[in-house]
């Protein structure tokens, strides 16, 4: 299965949403080596995945984007 995970809301801060999404994605990637993941992310999120030792996995594709997380404009740009 191909799974698209939108992690654009994760920034270098420790608010509830960033913390939850960051740890949810890291947990999924550690537990699931069968499915393929495409992750939309703010460039800050890549450092978290690198620290977790998850970069370079064959089932992980990263798409770095600066498209804002909220607003109508994001829908049009995506």
């Amino acid at each position: 299965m191909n799974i698209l995970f939108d992690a654009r809301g994760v920034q270098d801060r420790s608010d509830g949403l960033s913390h939850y999404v960051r740890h949810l994605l890291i947990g999924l990637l550690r537990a699931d080596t069968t499915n393929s993941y495409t992750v939309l992310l703010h460039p800050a999120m890549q450092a978290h995945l690198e620290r977790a030792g998850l970069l370079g996995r064959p089932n992980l594709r990263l798409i770095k984007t600066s498209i804002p997380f909220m607003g109508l404009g994001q829908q049009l740009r995506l």
Side-chain angles (χ1 to χ4, degrees):
M1 180 184 315
N2 293 313
I3 299 167
L4 176 66
F5 193 102
D6 188 351
R8 291 175 298 132
V10 175
Q11 306 288 322
D12 268 340
R13 59 181 188 252
S14 59
D15 65 9
L17 178 62
S18 291
H19 182 80
Y20 176 77
V21 171
R22 182 171 50 247
H23 289 281
L24 176 63
L25 178 58
I26 289 170
L28 281 171
L29 292 172
R30 283 183 176 157
D32 184 3
T33 57
T34 304
N35 295 302
S36 295
Y37 288 84
T38 299
V39 180
L40 295 175
L41 67 146
H42 185 276
M45 179 62 182
Q46 185 169 343
H48 295 288
L49 295 174
E50 185 174 6
R51 282 193 296 272
L54 297 170
L55 293 185
R57 289 189 171 207
N59 68 330
L60 177 61
R61 178 175 166 230
L62 302 179
I63 299 175
K64 291 183 247 176
T65 180
S66 59
I67 296 173
F69 181 61
M70 302 293 264
L72 180 60
Q74 66 139 347
Q75 296 297 317
L76 297 171
R77 290 178 68 192
L78 284 176

